[in-house]
Amino acid sequence: MLSPSTLRLCPLLLALALAGCASDTSGAEAEAARAGEVDVRSNETDDLGAIDNPDLRAEADTTGPPRVTVAGTTVPARGVVTDIESGDRSCYITLRTDTGATETVHADYSVCDTNVIKGRRVQIEYVPDTILAASCEGDPDCLDTETVALAVVAMPID
């Protein structure tokens, strides 16, 4: 028969044993991590190419229409980003669409803050938004505005 103090230790010993079994790192990996050597992996690529691991690819609906109408303008819903440029009215994304045509769309500056989408096929979500009018010719003091389809999400789908 086990003593009461031994019985009190059983749940603790069981928890420690289970924690050791649940670990998915090998002894060498765990030792390297404790020594400060950590293997950091990114889901982004250096060469702007597609991610090799299909489990890390973003899921997007590419079965929808290739074009959408937002704020009275028909814009591409997906395409390959060939250029990103920050402008005075908005950020501009140039796309090669599914038909092979090249189009430039307005985008929120936050979409263009990263070059991760350049050279990649993206699914785009738009919202109607007000920006500085073209008639202002870049003058920040101009009060003229216009409502455009503004890309707020450009999710890589390649």
Side-chain angles (χ1 to χ4, degrees), residues 63-108:
T63 60
R67 300 185 69 78
V68 293
T69 302
V70 178
T73 306
T74 303
V75 288
R78 60 185 169 265
V80 176
V81 177
T82 59
D83 194 26
I84 301 172
E85 184 177 334
S86 185
D88 51 7
R89 300 175 60 212
S90 70
C91 170
Y92 301 98
I93 297 178
T94 304
L95 300 165
R96 187 177 65 246
T97 65
D98 293 345
T99 62
T102 301
E103 292 187 49
T104 301
V105 297
H106 292 280
D108 187 75

Side-chain angles (χ1 to χ4, degrees), residues 10-23:
C10 284
L12 177 62
L13 294 174
L14 181 61
L16 290 172
L18 290 174
C21 292
S23 173

